[in-house]
Amino acid sequence: MSETTGTSTSTLQRTPTAIVQHWINGQTVDSESGRTAPVFDPALGVQTKSVALANGAEINAAVAAAQAAFPGWRDTSITKRQQILFRFRELLNERKDELAEILTAEHGKVLSDALGEITRGLEVVELATGFPHLIKGEFSANVSTGVDVYSSKQPLGVVGIISPFNFPAMVPMWFFPIAIAAGNTVVLKPSEKDPSAANWLAALFSEAGLPNGVFNVLHGDKEAVDGLLNHPDVKSISFVGSTPIAKYIYETAARNGKRVQALGGAKNHMLVLPDADLDLTADAAINAGFGSAGERCMAISVVVAVEPVADDLITKITERMSSLRVGDGRRSCDMGPLVTEQHRDKVASYIDLATTDGATVVVDGRGTDIDGDANGFWLGPTLIDRVPLDSKVYLDEIFGPVLSIVRVHSYQDGVDLINRGAYGNGTAIFTNDGGAARRFENEIEVGMIGINVPIPVPVAYYSFGGFKESLFGDTKAYGLAGFDFFTREKVITSRWLDPSHGGINLGFPQN
Ligand code: NAD
């Protein structure tokens, strides 16, 4: 059985034989590739549906639909485009509970967190509704006698978006509202682990009045990604995912002459100075380390404690960990399961590695009580102290509820440690010393910084992106950078001829 549209699928979502199909040209298109991937309910540990994996013909069909829709959408008046965006915003706000349920059922995050994800995506939709101002050009009269110069920001054409499993609604919304507002048409390739949110969003946008073909969802794996990277009609690629894939995407898309932004992985440190309020710091470490089961690119995974605070801080963190309720996100729990069994096993393997490498496992999440089905992909919050800096527990992006503690002896040791890291996505400092915080802000080589804020995800009218191995390409996501990425500027020099313009002059005009 195939799913129909995203907005009317809530009963089909629970049908084990349902296949999440492509959304092309305003409708569900059944895949003929014969290839699918399983989609699980991570809290139940069972496969609830499958997702189609596109073949070459389906990739071409999605791009062709977007290409055919492009001229009409580009030339649709600003007023009309804005009305559709406002309607989409209203519908999304009205029905966000429905989308949150889909996120929890496929990703596993608890319902309140799923709603938080949607709220952050909605912020970008709201920013995008202001596009008439943000894509305005400039005008200079009489740059030479009777000559005017003006600029116009125009859409690129068909743009490709490739998104990760951990934010199946928010990350696509970092890009498609802005791309579409600016007059582009979109092919979104969501993660195959939790694909339904993308169809739901596309169907909702259609209901808001978006013309067919402007927003297409192509499901698939590497074949679909490579198809977009190599398709001559795809003008840009916006990617979010792990660093090795981000590098591959960046290099391949750039080689093919496409505009590309590729956001990669992270390993975020939280520096705790001795003057910090340790109760508030422990709260923040818990929220940032274990929210969404640590499957956030802005999660804190290493607490860098400037001595002598480590022992006290660990006591406070441990007390709080014991009160966390881990279980099915549809119940009132704090933390849900990991996305797949394979990912859970990989994350859990770092706990054994920590012991082998000489670290101290303070809390082992494999022993946590679970409020959920025994078959779910569970791993409770885990705390590891004295993690050696050459251990993979410190170096790797674990992407699960595993919080490491590293002890240092000064502010400077902490800054040097963070700056030696391969990634530069997010970081935070906890202190009551304004001077130290200001120094940190200046000296740290990380793109997004929190001062007593553990997960400093910028609001929609700033832009999101890190440094080093966390971002390939030079344009961040959303904010003004998003409008720059999804438009290209034309500069027009114009004069209306009259007899005074006559005569031959091979030089540059002087006045
Ligand atoms: P992933 O790299 O495995 O997958 C991301 C996308 O790439 C998916 O759509 C997937 O289908 C596709 N893909 C996977 N393997 C591929 C291959 N070999 N060739 C081409 N395409 C391929 O990432 P994930 O596990 O879905 O997501 C978690 C990762 O995303 C973490 O590393 C996390 O830090 C990162 N992330 C980063 C940000 C950021 O803003 N920097 C935000 C969210 C997630």
Side-chain angles (χ1 to χ4, degrees), residues 78-124:
I78 284 178
T79 307
K80 181 73 187 157
R81 278 189 269 156
Q82 201 179 27
Q83 283 167 352
I84 294 169
L85 274 159
F86 269 112
R87 181 80 187 123
F88 176 62
R89 190 264 170 205
E90 292 308 304
L91 288 175
L92 182 53
N93 201 34
E94 275 166 26
R95 299 206 202 143
K96 58 189 174 199
D97 289 332
E98 209 179 299
L99 179 58
E101 277 178 30
I102 294 172
L103 300 182
T104 297
E106 292 186 6
H107 176 282
K109 62 181 68 180
V110 299
L111 274 173
S112 57
D113 192 33
L115 275 171
E117 159 173 3
I118 297 165
T119 304
R120 298 311 301 264
L122 257 168
E123 286 177 13
V124 182

mmCIF file of all heavy atoms in Angstrom, residues 78-124:
data_model
loop_
_atom_site.group_PDB
_atom_site.id
_atom_site.type_symbol
_atom_site.label_atom_id
_atom_site.label_comp_id
_atom_site.label_asym_id
_atom_site.label_seq_id
_atom_site.Cartn_x
_atom_site.Cartn_y
_atom_site.Cartn_z
ATOM 1 N N ILE A 78 5.220 38.784 -6.486
ATOM 2 C CA ILE A 78 5.667 38.751 -5.085
ATOM 3 C C ILE A 78 4.459 38.645 -4.162
ATOM 4 O O ILE A 78 4.460 37.880 -3.193
ATOM 5 C CB ILE A 78 6.510 40.013 -4.803
ATOM 6 C CG1 ILE A 78 7.902 39.841 -5.425
ATOM 7 C CG2 ILE A 78 6.587 40.315 -3.317
ATOM 8 C CD1 ILE A 78 8.823 41.026 -5.254
ATOM 9 N N THR A 79 3.421 39.371 -4.452
ATOM 10 C CA THR A 79 2.223 39.355 -3.599
ATOM 11 C C THR A 79 1.651 37.946 -3.512
ATOM 12 O O THR A 79 1.320 37.459 -2.435
ATOM 13 C CB THR A 79 1.158 40.308 -4.177
ATOM 14 O OG1 THR A 79 1.770 41.561 -4.370
ATOM 15 C CG2 THR A 79 -0.032 40.439 -3.265
ATOM 16 N N LYS A 80 1.537 37.290 -4.641
ATOM 17 C CA LYS A 80 0.956 35.949 -4.672
ATOM 18 C C LYS A 80 1.846 34.963 -3.912
ATOM 19 O O LYS A 80 1.362 34.140 -3.113
ATOM 20 C CB LYS A 80 0.801 35.507 -6.143
ATOM 21 C CG LYS A 80 0.199 34.146 -6.330
ATOM 22 C CD LYS A 80 -1.280 34.130 -6.029
ATOM 23 C CE LYS A 80 -1.834 32.723 -6.068
ATOM 24 N NZ LYS A 80 -3.059 32.571 -5.296
ATOM 25 N N ARG A 81 3.162 35.048 -4.173
ATOM 26 C CA ARG A 81 4.080 34.141 -3.480
ATOM 27 C C ARG A 81 3.998 34.355 -1.967
ATOM 28 O O ARG A 81 4.007 33.407 -1.188
ATOM 29 C CB ARG A 81 5.523 34.385 -3.953
ATOM 30 C CG ARG A 81 5.848 33.689 -5.253
ATOM 31 C CD ARG A 81 7.322 33.773 -5.553
ATOM 32 N NE ARG A 81 7.657 34.944 -6.344
ATOM 33 C CZ ARG A 81 8.857 35.522 -6.374
ATOM 34 N NH1 ARG A 81 9.836 35.051 -5.634
ATOM 35 N NH2 ARG A 81 9.090 36.559 -7.136
ATOM 36 N N GLN A 82 3.881 35.604 -1.582
ATOM 37 C CA GLN A 82 3.833 35.898 -0.145
ATOM 38 C C GLN A 82 2.548 35.367 0.476
ATOM 39 O O GLN A 82 2.554 34.825 1.585
ATOM 40 C CB GLN A 82 3.946 37.410 0.061
ATOM 41 C CG GLN A 82 4.403 37.771 1.457
ATOM 42 C CD GLN A 82 4.537 39.267 1.638
ATOM 43 O OE1 GLN A 82 3.873 40.046 0.969
ATOM 44 N NE2 GLN A 82 5.390 39.666 2.555
ATOM 45 N N GLN A 83 1.450 35.475 -0.253
ATOM 46 C CA GLN A 83 0.174 34.954 0.278
ATOM 47 C C GLN A 83 0.259 33.447 0.520
ATOM 48 O O GLN A 83 -0.234 32.931 1.523
ATOM 49 C CB GLN A 83 -0.962 35.251 -0.704
ATOM 50 C CG GLN A 83 -1.415 36.697 -0.663
ATOM 51 C CD GLN A 83 -2.313 37.055 -1.843
ATOM 52 O OE1 GLN A 83 -2.484 36.263 -2.779
ATOM 53 N NE2 GLN A 83 -2.865 38.262 -1.804
ATOM 54 N N ILE A 84 0.896 32.746 -0.411
ATOM 55 C CA ILE A 84 1.023 31.281 -0.263
ATOM 56 C C ILE A 84 1.890 30.943 0.946
ATOM 57 O O ILE A 84 1.578 30.039 1.727
ATOM 58 C CB ILE A 84 1.579 30.658 -1.571
ATOM 59 C CG1 ILE A 84 0.563 30.839 -2.709
ATOM 60 C CG2 ILE A 84 1.917 29.180 -1.375
ATOM 61 C CD1 ILE A 84 1.088 30.508 -4.087
ATOM 62 N N LEU A 85 2.961 31.701 1.119
ATOM 63 C CA LEU A 85 3.837 31.455 2.279
ATOM 64 C C LEU A 85 3.100 31.708 3.595
ATOM 65 O O LEU A 85 3.233 30.951 4.555
ATOM 66 C CB LEU A 85 5.064 32.369 2.210
ATOM 67 C CG LEU A 85 6.209 31.804 1.374
ATOM 68 C CD1 LEU A 85 7.143 32.915 0.930
ATOM 69 C CD2 LEU A 85 6.997 30.766 2.161
ATOM 70 N N PHE A 86 2.326 32.784 3.621
ATOM 71 C CA PHE A 86 1.565 33.069 4.854
ATOM 72 C C PHE A 86 0.566 31.945 5.136
ATOM 73 O O PHE A 86 0.398 31.518 6.280
ATOM 74 C CB PHE A 86 0.836 34.411 4.743
ATOM 75 C CG PHE A 86 1.656 35.570 5.254
ATOM 76 C CD1 PHE A 86 2.133 36.540 4.393
ATOM 77 C CD2 PHE A 86 1.950 35.692 6.605
ATOM 78 C CE1 PHE A 86 2.898 37.594 4.869
ATOM 79 C CE2 PHE A 86 2.717 36.745 7.091
ATOM 80 C CZ PHE A 86 3.193 37.706 6.214
ATOM 81 N N ARG A 87 -0.073 31.474 4.098
ATOM 82 C CA ARG A 87 -1.054 30.389 4.273
ATOM 83 C C ARG A 87 -0.353 29.131 4.780
ATOM 84 O O ARG A 87 -0.869 28.444 5.661
ATOM 85 C CB ARG A 87 -1.755 30.128 2.930
ATOM 86 C CG ARG A 87 -2.804 29.050 2.977
ATOM 87 C CD ARG A 87 -4.120 29.549 3.558
ATOM 88 N NE ARG A 87 -5.044 28.450 3.737
ATOM 89 C CZ ARG A 87 -5.622 28.106 4.899
ATOM 90 N NH1 ARG A 87 -5.403 28.794 5.993
ATOM 91 N NH2 ARG A 87 -6.454 27.096 4.961
ATOM 92 N N PHE A 88 0.824 28.837 4.222
ATOM 93 C CA PHE A 88 1.599 27.670 4.667
ATOM 94 C C PHE A 88 1.948 27.827 6.146
ATOM 95 O O PHE A 88 1.810 26.893 6.941
ATOM 96 C CB PHE A 88 2.873 27.537 3.822
ATOM 97 C CG PHE A 88 3.792 26.430 4.259
ATOM 98 C CD1 PHE A 88 3.383 25.105 4.232
ATOM 99 C CD2 PHE A 88 5.085 26.703 4.707
ATOM 100 C CE1 PHE A 88 4.232 24.072 4.645
ATOM 101 C CE2 PHE A 88 5.939 25.688 5.117
ATOM 102 C CZ PHE A 88 5.511 24.378 5.085
ATOM 103 N N ARG A 89 2.354 29.011 6.535
ATOM 104 C CA ARG A 89 2.706 29.273 7.929
ATOM 105 C C ARG A 89 1.511 29.020 8.845
ATOM 106 O O ARG A 89 1.617 28.404 9.905
ATOM 107 C CB ARG A 89 3.198 30.719 8.054
ATOM 108 C CG ARG A 89 3.808 31.053 9.386
ATOM 109 C CD ARG A 89 2.789 31.706 10.293
ATOM 110 N NE ARG A 89 3.314 31.799 11.643
ATOM 111 C CZ ARG A 89 2.553 31.856 12.733
ATOM 112 N NH1 ARG A 89 1.243 31.815 12.639
ATOM 113 N NH2 ARG A 89 3.083 31.942 13.915
ATOM 114 N N GLU A 90 0.334 29.498 8.405
ATOM 115 C CA GLU A 90 -0.870 29.333 9.226
ATOM 116 C C GLU A 90 -1.244 27.855 9.361
ATOM 117 O O GLU A 90 -1.549 27.380 10.444
ATOM 118 C CB GLU A 90 -2.043 30.119 8.616
ATOM 119 C CG GLU A 90 -1.875 31.628 8.688
ATOM 120 C CD GLU A 90 -1.551 32.096 10.100
ATOM 121 O OE1 GLU A 90 -2.322 31.801 11.010
ATOM 122 O OE2 GLU A 90 -0.490 32.725 10.282
ATOM 123 N N LEU A 91 -1.215 27.142 8.239
ATOM 124 C CA LEU A 91 -1.580 25.720 8.270
ATOM 125 C C LEU A 91 -0.603 24.929 9.143
ATOM 126 O O LEU A 91 -1.004 24.057 9.914
ATOM 127 C CB LEU A 91 -1.574 25.139 6.848
ATOM 128 C CG LEU A 91 -2.718 25.568 5.929
ATOM 129 C CD1 LEU A 91 -2.496 25.004 4.519
ATOM 130 C CD2 LEU A 91 -4.060 25.081 6.480
ATOM 131 N N LEU A 92 0.668 25.238 9.010
ATOM 132 C CA LEU A 92 1.686 24.514 9.783
ATOM 133 C C LEU A 92 1.486 24.761 11.275
ATOM 134 O O LEU A 92 1.567 23.832 12.091
ATOM 135 C CB LEU A 92 3.078 24.968 9.323
ATOM 136 C CG LEU A 92 4.291 24.311 9.967
ATOM 137 C CD1 LEU A 92 4.220 22.791 9.890
ATOM 138 C CD2 LEU A 92 5.579 24.792 9.293
ATOM 139 N N ASN A 93 1.193 25.989 11.614
ATOM 140 C CA ASN A 93 0.974 26.324 13.016
ATOM 141 C C ASN A 93 -0.263 25.596 13.553
ATOM 142 O O ASN A 93 -0.251 25.057 14.658
ATOM 143 C CB ASN A 93 0.838 27.833 13.156
ATOM 144 C CG ASN A 93 1.110 28.271 14.571
ATOM 145 O OD1 ASN A 93 1.950 27.678 15.251
ATOM 146 N ND2 ASN A 93 0.402 29.274 15.022
ATOM 147 N N GLU A 94 -1.307 25.557 12.729
ATOM 148 C CA GLU A 94 -2.553 24.879 13.164
ATOM 149 C C GLU A 94 -2.347 23.389 13.360
ATOM 150 O O GLU A 94 -2.927 22.783 14.247
ATOM 151 C CB GLU A 94 -3.628 25.039 12.075
ATOM 152 C CG GLU A 94 -4.408 26.326 12.150
ATOM 153 C CD GLU A 94 -5.202 26.540 10.852
ATOM 154 O OE1 GLU A 94 -5.532 25.563 10.156
ATOM 155 O OE2 GLU A 94 -5.455 27.729 10.532
ATOM 156 N N ARG A 95 -1.528 22.776 12.490
ATOM 157 C CA ARG A 95 -1.459 21.302 12.472
ATOM 158 C C ARG A 95 -0.141 20.748 12.988
ATOM 159 O O ARG A 95 0.222 19.611 12.684
ATOM 160 C CB ARG A 95 -1.668 20.823 11.034
ATOM 161 C CG ARG A 95 -2.997 21.223 10.505
ATOM 162 C CD ARG A 95 -3.447 20.277 9.422
ATOM 163 N NE ARG A 95 -4.432 20.961 8.621
ATOM 164 C CZ ARG A 95 -4.544 20.824 7.317
ATOM 165 N NH1 ARG A 95 -3.744 20.028 6.648
ATOM 166 N NH2 ARG A 95 -5.474 21.484 6.661
ATOM 167 N N LYS A 96 0.584 21.544 13.741
ATOM 168 C CA LYS A 96 1.923 21.082 14.123
ATOM 169 C C LYS A 96 1.893 19.850 15.021
ATOM 170 O O LYS A 96 2.841 19.058 15.014
ATOM 171 C CB LYS A 96 2.732 22.221 14.750
ATOM 172 C CG LYS A 96 2.126 22.843 15.966
ATOM 173 C CD LYS A 96 2.910 24.094 16.352
ATOM 174 C CE LYS A 96 2.182 24.790 17.485
ATOM 175 N NZ LYS A 96 2.572 26.175 17.626
ATOM 176 N N ASP A 97 0.789 19.648 15.748
ATOM 177 C CA ASP A 97 0.723 18.451 16.600
ATOM 178 C C ASP A 97 0.761 17.173 15.755
ATOM 179 O O ASP A 97 1.337 16.162 16.144
ATOM 180 C CB ASP A 97 -0.553 18.457 17.450
ATOM 181 C CG ASP A 97 -0.485 19.525 18.530
ATOM 182 O OD1 ASP A 97 0.632 19.857 18.954
ATOM 183 O OD2 ASP A 97 -1.547 20.045 18.920
ATOM 184 N N GLU A 98 0.105 17.260 14.597
ATOM 185 C CA GLU A 98 0.073 16.116 13.673
ATOM 186 C C GLU A 98 1.497 15.787 13.196
ATOM 187 O O GLU A 98 1.909 14.617 13.158
ATOM 188 C CB GLU A 98 -0.771 16.557 12.473
ATOM 189 C CG GLU A 98 -1.520 15.495 11.746
ATOM 190 C CD GLU A 98 -2.309 16.151 10.614
ATOM 191 O OE1 GLU A 98 -3.188 17.024 10.863
ATOM 192 O OE2 GLU A 98 -2.030 15.801 9.463
ATOM 193 N N LEU A 99 2.229 16.832 12.853
ATOM 194 C CA LEU A 99 3.606 16.626 12.385
ATOM 195 C C LEU A 99 4.477 16.104 13.525
ATOM 196 O O LEU A 99 5.323 15.220 13.317
ATOM 197 C CB LEU A 99 4.170 17.945 11.826
ATOM 198 C CG LEU A 99 5.609 17.902 11.318
ATOM 199 C CD1 LEU A 99 5.803 16.860 10.214
ATOM 200 C CD2 LEU A 99 6.040 19.285 10.780
ATOM 201 N N ALA A 100 4.258 16.636 14.737
ATOM 202 C CA ALA A 100 5.064 16.183 15.886
ATOM 203 C C ALA A 100 4.883 14.680 16.100
ATOM 204 O O ALA A 100 5.839 13.961 16.399
ATOM 205 C CB ALA A 100 4.672 16.970 17.137
ATOM 206 N N GLU A 101 3.672 14.205 15.928
ATOM 207 C CA GLU A 101 3.434 12.758 16.100
ATOM 208 C C GLU A 101 4.227 11.945 15.084
ATOM 209 O O GLU A 101 4.748 10.872 15.390
ATOM 210 C CB GLU A 101 1.944 12.446 15.928
ATOM 211 C CG GLU A 101 1.150 12.692 17.180
ATOM 212 C CD GLU A 101 -0.338 12.434 16.974
ATOM 213 O OE1 GLU A 101 -0.689 11.577 16.140
ATOM 214 O OE2 GLU A 101 -1.137 13.111 17.645
ATOM 215 N N ILE A 102 4.295 12.459 13.860
ATOM 216 C CA ILE A 102 5.066 11.758 12.817
ATOM 217 C C ILE A 102 6.546 11.725 13.206
ATOM 218 O O ILE A 102 7.219 10.700 13.079
ATOM 219 C CB ILE A 102 4.875 12.459 11.448
ATOM 220 C CG1 ILE A 102 3.429 12.315 10.987
ATOM 221 C CG2 ILE A 102 5.848 11.915 10.417
ATOM 222 C CD1 ILE A 102 3.087 13.126 9.745
ATOM 223 N N LEU A 103 7.046 12.855 13.706
ATOM 224 C CA LEU A 103 8.463 12.909 14.085
ATOM 225 C C LEU A 103 8.757 11.909 15.205
ATOM 226 O O LEU A 103 9.751 11.179 15.162
ATOM 227 C CB LEU A 103 8.844 14.323 14.544
ATOM 228 C CG LEU A 103 8.662 15.453 13.526
ATOM 229 C CD1 LEU A 103 9.131 16.791 14.112
ATOM 230 C CD2 LEU A 103 9.420 15.175 12.243
ATOM 231 N N THR A 104 7.897 11.888 16.200
ATOM 232 C CA THR A 104 8.128 10.973 17.330
ATOM 233 C C THR A 104 8.050 9.516 16.871
ATOM 234 O O THR A 104 8.840 8.679 17.295
ATOM 235 C CB THR A 104 7.110 11.261 18.450
ATOM 236 O OG1 THR A 104 7.341 12.589 18.918
ATOM 237 C CG2 THR A 104 7.266 10.299 19.616
ATOM 238 N N ALA A 105 7.123 9.231 15.977
ATOM 239 C CA ALA A 105 6.937 7.842 15.534
ATOM 240 C C ALA A 105 8.110 7.328 14.704
ATOM 241 O O ALA A 105 8.367 6.124 14.669
ATOM 242 C CB ALA A 105 5.643 7.723 14.729
ATOM 243 N N GLU A 106 8.835 8.219 14.022
ATOM 244 C CA GLU A 106 9.924 7.731 13.157
ATOM 245 C C GLU A 106 11.307 8.055 13.709
ATOM 246 O O GLU A 106 12.250 7.301 13.482
ATOM 247 C CB GLU A 106 9.780 8.321 11.747
ATOM 248 C CG GLU A 106 8.555 7.783 11.031
ATOM 249 C CD GLU A 106 8.447 8.232 9.586
ATOM 250 O OE1 GLU A 106 9.376 8.878 9.058
ATOM 251 O OE2 GLU A 106 7.400 7.944 8.973
ATOM 252 N N HIS A 107 11.432 9.181 14.388
ATOM 253 C CA HIS A 107 12.737 9.549 14.952
ATOM 254 C C HIS A 107 12.881 9.047 16.383
ATOM 255 O O HIS A 107 13.960 8.626 16.789
ATOM 256 C CB HIS A 107 12.921 11.079 14.920
ATOM 257 C CG HIS A 107 14.187 11.539 15.568
ATOM 258 N ND1 HIS A 107 14.334 11.621 16.941
ATOM 259 C CD2 HIS A 107 15.379 11.909 15.051
ATOM 260 C CE1 HIS A 107 15.564 12.021 17.235
ATOM 261 N NE2 HIS A 107 16.220 12.208 16.107
ATOM 262 N N GLY A 108 11.803 9.143 17.153
ATOM 263 C CA GLY A 108 11.839 8.696 18.539
ATOM 264 C C GLY A 108 11.879 9.823 19.546
ATOM 265 O O GLY A 108 11.620 9.612 20.729
ATOM 266 N N LYS A 109 12.201 11.044 19.115
ATOM 267 C CA LYS A 109 12.293 12.150 20.087
ATOM 268 C C LYS A 109 10.945 12.363 20.772
ATOM 269 O O LYS A 109 9.888 12.069 20.174
ATOM 270 C CB LYS A 109 12.788 13.432 19.423
ATOM 271 C CG LYS A 109 11.909 13.994 18.336
ATOM 272 C CD LYS A 109 12.498 15.261 17.724
ATOM 273 C CE LYS A 109 13.764 15.050 16.937
ATOM 274 N NZ LYS A 109 14.339 16.245 16.345
ATOM 275 N N VAL A 110 10.977 12.861 22.009
ATOM 276 C CA VAL A 110 9.723 12.998 22.750
ATOM 277 C C VAL A 110 8.873 14.091 22.102
ATOM 278 O O VAL A 110 9.387 14.996 21.439
ATOM 279 C CB VAL A 110 9.979 13.305 24.253
ATOM 280 C CG1 VAL A 110 10.773 12.165 24.887
ATOM 281 C CG2 VAL A 110 10.707 14.627 24.441
ATOM 282 N N LEU A 111 7.558 14.010 22.316
ATOM 283 C CA LEU A 111 6.638 14.908 21.602
ATOM 284 C C LEU A 111 6.941 16.381 21.844
ATOM 285 O O LEU A 111 6.888 17.194 20.919
ATOM 286 C CB LEU A 111 5.195 14.609 22.027
ATOM 287 C CG LEU A 111 4.507 13.486 21.254
ATOM 288 C CD1 LEU A 111 3.155 13.161 21.885
ATOM 289 C CD2 LEU A 111 4.331 13.850 19.773
ATOM 290 N N SER A 112 7.300 16.741 23.083
ATOM 291 C CA SER A 112 7.579 18.163 23.359
ATOM 292 C C SER A 112 8.800 18.630 22.565
ATOM 293 O O SER A 112 8.839 19.759 22.056
ATOM 294 C CB SER A 112 7.807 18.381 24.858
ATOM 295 O OG SER A 112 8.866 17.545 25.294
ATOM 296 N N ASP A 113 9.774 17.746 22.409
ATOM 297 C CA ASP A 113 10.965 18.097 21.642
ATOM 298 C C ASP A 113 10.628 18.191 20.152
ATOM 299 O O ASP A 113 11.149 19.043 19.422
ATOM 300 C CB ASP A 113 12.044 17.032 21.903
ATOM 301 C CG ASP A 113 13.402 17.449 21.380
ATOM 302 O OD1 ASP A 113 13.698 18.654 21.399
ATOM 303 O OD2 ASP A 113 14.168 16.565 20.960
ATOM 304 N N ALA A 114 9.750 17.297 19.697
ATOM 305 C CA ALA A 114 9.320 17.340 18.298
ATOM 306 C C ALA A 114 8.627 18.676 18.003
ATOM 307 O O ALA A 114 8.855 19.305 16.966
ATOM 308 C CB ALA A 114 8.387 16.169 17.995
ATOM 309 N N LEU A 115 7.811 19.116 18.959
ATOM 310 C CA LEU A 115 7.135 20.411 18.769
ATOM 311 C C LEU A 115 8.149 21.553 18.763
ATOM 312 O O LEU A 115 8.017 22.521 18.012
ATOM 313 C CB LEU A 115 6.113 20.640 19.882
ATOM 314 C CG LEU A 115 4.755 19.999 19.628
ATOM 315 C CD1 LEU A 115 3.889 20.082 20.886
ATOM 316 C CD2 LEU A 115 4.036 20.668 18.442
ATOM 317 N N GLY A 116 9.179 21.417 19.605
ATOM 318 C CA GLY A 116 10.237 22.438 19.621
ATOM 319 C C GLY A 116 10.937 22.513 18.281
ATOM 320 O O GLY A 116 11.217 23.595 17.761
ATOM 321 N N GLU A 117 11.202 21.346 17.682
ATOM 322 C CA GLU A 117 11.829 21.315 16.354
ATOM 323 C C GLU A 117 10.962 22.049 15.330
ATOM 324 O O GLU A 117 11.450 22.842 14.520
ATOM 325 C CB GLU A 117 12.049 19.842 15.941
ATOM 326 C CG GLU A 117 12.207 19.671 14.454
ATOM 327 C CD GLU A 117 12.584 18.292 13.961
ATOM 328 O OE1 GLU A 117 12.696 17.353 14.771
ATOM 329 O OE2 GLU A 117 12.789 18.165 12.739
ATOM 330 N N ILE A 118 9.661 21.790 15.384
ATOM 331 C CA ILE A 118 8.758 22.420 14.407
ATOM 332 C C ILE A 118 8.733 23.940 14.626
ATOM 333 O O ILE A 118 8.728 24.733 13.667
ATOM 334 C CB ILE A 118 7.344 21.819 14.518
ATOM 335 C CG1 ILE A 118 7.390 20.331 14.180
ATOM 336 C CG2 ILE A 118 6.361 22.545 13.598
ATOM 337 C CD1 ILE A 118 6.153 19.549 14.598
ATOM 338 N N THR A 119 8.757 24.352 15.890
ATOM 339 C CA THR A 119 8.741 25.790 16.184
ATOM 340 C C THR A 119 9.959 26.482 15.581
ATOM 341 O O THR A 119 9.850 27.573 15.013
ATOM 342 C CB THR A 119 8.722 26.007 17.718
ATOM 343 O OG1 THR A 119 7.599 25.306 18.231
ATOM 344 C CG2 THR A 119 8.622 27.465 18.077
ATOM 345 N N ARG A 120 11.136 25.819 15.674
ATOM 346 C CA ARG A 120 12.329 26.438 15.104
ATOM 347 C C ARG A 120 12.234 26.488 13.574
ATOM 348 O O ARG A 120 12.731 27.419 12.940
ATOM 349 C CB ARG A 120 13.610 25.701 15.527
ATOM 350 C CG ARG A 120 13.902 25.691 17.022
ATOM 351 C CD ARG A 120 13.810 27.043 17.702
ATOM 352 N NE ARG A 120 14.684 28.065 17.210
ATOM 353 C CZ ARG A 120 15.881 28.396 17.714
ATOM 354 N NH1 ARG A 120 16.355 27.750 18.755
ATOM 355 N NH2 ARG A 120 16.598 29.374 17.197
ATOM 356 N N GLY A 121 11.589 25.490 12.974
ATOM 357 C CA GLY A 121 11.378 25.532 11.527
ATOM 358 C C GLY A 121 10.391 26.628 11.136
ATOM 359 O O GLY A 121 10.579 27.344 10.151
ATOM 360 N N LEU A 122 9.347 26.753 11.965
ATOM 361 C CA LEU A 122 8.338 27.802 11.703
ATOM 362 C C LEU A 122 8.978 29.200 11.692
ATOM 363 O O LEU A 122 8.583 30.071 10.925
ATOM 364 C CB LEU A 122 7.279 27.768 12.801
ATOM 365 C CG LEU A 122 5.945 27.127 12.470
ATOM 366 C CD1 LEU A 122 5.126 26.918 13.729
ATOM 367 C CD2 LEU A 122 5.161 27.940 11.449
ATOM 368 N N GLU A 123 9.968 29.379 12.556
ATOM 369 C CA GLU A 123 10.647 30.685 12.587
ATOM 370 C C GLU A 123 11.249 31.024 11.226
ATOM 371 O O GLU A 123 11.260 32.188 10.823
ATOM 372 C CB GLU A 123 11.786 30.671 13.619
ATOM 373 C CG GLU A 123 11.331 30.727 15.051
ATOM 374 C CD GLU A 123 12.513 30.646 16.019
ATOM 375 O OE1 GLU A 123 13.688 30.782 15.602
ATOM 376 O OE2 GLU A 123 12.254 30.427 17.209
ATOM 377 N N VAL A 124 11.771 30.001 10.546
ATOM 378 C CA VAL A 124 12.361 30.273 9.231
ATOM 379 C C VAL A 124 11.258 30.558 8.211
ATOM 380 O O VAL A 124 11.413 31.415 7.331
ATOM 381 C CB VAL A 124 13.277 29.114 8.771
ATOM 382 C CG1 VAL A 124 13.908 29.442 7.423
ATOM 383 C CG2 VAL A 124 14.351 28.834 9.809
#
